[in-house]
Amino acid sequence: TTMVDYSKWKDIEISDDEDDTHPNIDTPSLFRWRHQARLERMAEKEKELEKIKKEREMYENQVKSLKIKLQSAGPESSTDMSSIKQALSELEKKGDELVSKQKEIEKKEKLEPWNVDTISSDGFSKTVINKLDPRHSENLTEEEKEKRMKEFVKKNETNIKKYGMFRNFDDSRRFLMEHTQLACEDTANYLVVWCINLEMEEKHELMSHVAHQTICMQFILELAKQLERDPRSCISAFFHRIQQAEPEYKKAFTDELDGFKDRVKKRAAQKLEELLKEAEEEERQARLGPGGLDPLEVLDTLPEELKKCFESQDVELLQKTIEKMDPQDATYHMKRCIDSGLWVPGAKDAKSE
């Protein structure tokens, strides 16, 4: 199925920068101001980290200096040694504090939501962006894709169905983070087929529920495509994004979900129609007489007086009716009756025929 064009989400801002704003507020100006504020925050963090690094450098120099003094101090200067050891002990405490501060800032930096600035930075591209999973980038033939999907479903069907039954974003995210292999095209395809089958079984509410999970998966794949990343590394990013109060992104999600459900309903109706036609054709084939004609179709095309004879199964009336008919017409219709199995002539009838 064709999804909406998500190219406008290419430069995704995974932060709170695009919250819902009042229609009277100049949104671009507000975004520019927020963008500037974010850049300043990032610069402030960088400055703080730099300051700690310099303090650690000074600390290391002081420790080095005290250790040299301690080595050069003789046994007679026990007071000096004691004060040097005390100073060294205090310095070590300060050193531990600096290490903790640095780790805390670096940890915060890692947990910081992505934004346009961090995504486009060199550090981000080198350390966080993963190459696309080869499972999805190689050119496979239809047969190979089908074989791969069958193998994947065999291994993961239980977990795909579990994921399809979750009701909120947090549970879905947690489950996918535990089973990252599910973030792939094969899962999305399985979910689509499942939705169509549920609709055909008239399980409309369940179809609607699984459809929601299907669109979550399709959005993860779309985000991976836009950022040229492995879908497994986009699981958290999608759920973070969809849970933000960003109306335009949520509207795109809802629109795609509604469109998908409509497509599922249409496809299910088509498939039911196809199955009905197949069943009718099978019945028709089973009905065909020795000459390959359908008895029901032949019955419908018989003249009214002949039709009554077959419907009442009155052989005597049939013989009288044929005698009254034009011989050519009677021959034509009776041949069709024999070819369709409506009339099975005995030896005597066959001879007279």
Side-chain angles (χ1 to χ4, degrees):
T1 54
T2 322
M3 288 180 73
V4 290
D5 176 20
Y6 298 106
S7 56
K8 59 184 171 183
W9 309 116
K10 193 172 181 184
D11 299 321
I12 277 175
E13 170 68 47
I14 317 224
S15 72
D16 57 354
D17 285 39
E18 294 167 9
D19 292 344
D20 196 3
T21 55
H22 192 277
N24 297 336
I25 292 171
D26 176 15
T27 308
S29 303
L30 182 65
F31 286 174
R32 274 197 301 275
W33 177 79
R34 283 175 168 175
H35 177 71
Q36 188 57 41
R38 186 179 63 245
L39 287 177
E40 283 169 13
R41 283 200 308 272
M42 284 167 72
E44 194 63 42
K45 269 185 207 157
E46 200 61 44
K47 204 174 168 184
E48 201 180 337
L49 203 56
E50 205 57 45
K51 188 186 168 190
I52 287 171
K53 281 178 184 174
K54 276 183 184 173
E55 279 184 30
R56 279 192 72 182
E57 218 173 287
M58 281 170 64
Y59 155 79
E60 279 162 14
N61 288 336
Q62 283 176 313
V63 169
K64 206 175 182 181
S65 170
L66 283 173
K67 279 182 177 176
I68 291 166
K69 274 187 186 178
L70 202 59
Q71 281 170 358
S72 59
E76 68 282 350
S77 53
S78 58
T79 316
D80 288 350
M81 280 179 76
S82 175
S83 61
I84 290 168
K85 279 180 180 175
Q86 195 180 337
L88 200 58
S89 174
E90 282 171 14
L91 265 179
E92 278 171 358
K93 279 181 191 173
K94 193 183 175 185
D96 289 341
E97 280 174 26
L98 288 170
V99 170
S100 297
K101 268 188 187 177
Q102 189 175 338
K103 279 184 179 173
E104 199 179 317
I105 291 168
E106 284 169 352
K107 189 182 174 184
K108 275 183 185 173
E109 212 166 36
K110 277 183 185 176
L111 296 171
E112 190 73 26
W114 299 343
N115 55 60
V116 284
D117 303 299
T118 52
I119 280 178
S120 57
S121 73
D122 290 341
F124 188 95
S125 63
K126 280 175 192 169
T127 59
V128 183
I129 292 186
N130 301 316
K131 285 182 181 176
L132 283 167
D133 184 350
R135 285 183 304 168
H136 312 293
S137 53
E138 59 197 351
N139 296 318
L140 297 173
T141 63
E142 287 307 310
E143 289 80 9
E144 285 169 331
K145 279 182 188 174
E146 199 178 330
K147 189 187 172 192
R148 184 193 68 183
M149 186 172 171
K150 277 180 184 172
E151 285 170 5
F152 177 81
V153 168
K154 198 177 174 183
K155 282 183 198 168
N156 299 285
E157 190 169 20
T158 306
N159 283 332
I160 296 171
K161 287 200 164 188
K162 275 183 189 173
Y163 161 74
M165 299 308 285
F166 282 115
R167 293 205 165 266
N168 64 54
F169 291 127
D170 284 331
D171 291 338
S172 298
R173 182 191 60 77
R174 205 175 294 116
F175 189 76
L176 285 179
M177 289 303 286
E178 285 168 12
H179 305 89
T180 54
Q181 78 279 9
L182 297 183
C184 69
E185 287 287 346
D186 291 335
T187 298
N189 292 338
Y190 180 94
L191 291 168
V192 170
V193 173
W194 188 16
C195 284
I196 293 167
N197 289 339
L198 288 170
E199 184 62 23
M200 285 169 72
E201 291 163 18
E202 296 187 357
K203 294 174 181 172
H204 309 299
E205 275 186 47
L206 189 54
M207 181 283 284
S208 186
H209 177 72
V210 176
H212 178 273
Q213 298 300 88
T214 308
I215 298 305
C216 285
M217 183 56 66
Q218 288 189 350
F219 263 59
I220 290 166
L221 297 176
E222 190 59 34
L223 181 58
K225 197 171 150 190
Q226 297 298 345
L227 297 176
E228 295 182 347
R229 299 180 67 210
D230 187 314
R232 291 172 294 186
S233 65
C234 292
I235 296 166
S236 281
F238 161 71
F239 286 106
H240 185 95
R241 178 68 172 169
I242 198 68
Q243 286 178 292
Q244 299 304 299
E246 209 284 297
E248 211 175 331
Y249 190 78
K250 283 196 170 180
K251 187 182 183 302
F253 182 88
T254 308
D255 289 350
E256 182 55 30
L257 178 57
D258 292 341
F260 173 70
K261 286 194 278 193
D262 285 343
R263 292 194 294 276
V264 164
K265 284 170 188 172
K266 281 175 191 168
R267 184 67 191 115
Q270 278 174 357
K271 282 194 83 173
L272 282 171
E273 203 177 319
E274 285 163 17
L275 287 171
L276 194 64
K277 279 180 183 172
E278 277 175 32
E280 282 173 358
E281 187 53 33
E282 277 175 27
E283 279 178 27
R284 186 180 173 278
Q285 289 298 325
R287 278 199 309 263
L288 295 184
L293 294 185
D294 182 350
L296 292 181
E297 286 174 16
V298 170
L299 191 64
D300 279 344
T301 59
L302 289 177
E304 201 57 43
E305 61 272 21
L306 261 184
K307 196 176 179 182
K308 279 177 186 170
C309 300
F310 281 101
E311 281 174 347
S312 62
Q313 295 184 356
D314 190 332
V315 179
E316 212 175 301
L317 181 63
L318 176 64
Q319 286 170 341
K320 284 176 185 175
T321 306
I322 288 169
E323 280 168 18
K324 287 178 194 170
M325 285 175 74
D326 175 75
Q328 205 175 341
D329 282 354
T331 304
Y332 167 76
H333 286 298
M334 286 311 290
K335 187 182 185 311
R336 281 170 58 79
C337 288
I338 291 164
D339 287 347
S340 66
L342 267 178
W343 180 252
V344 181
K348 191 182 172 185
D349 297 312
K351 194 178 176 184
S352 66
E353 183 65 29

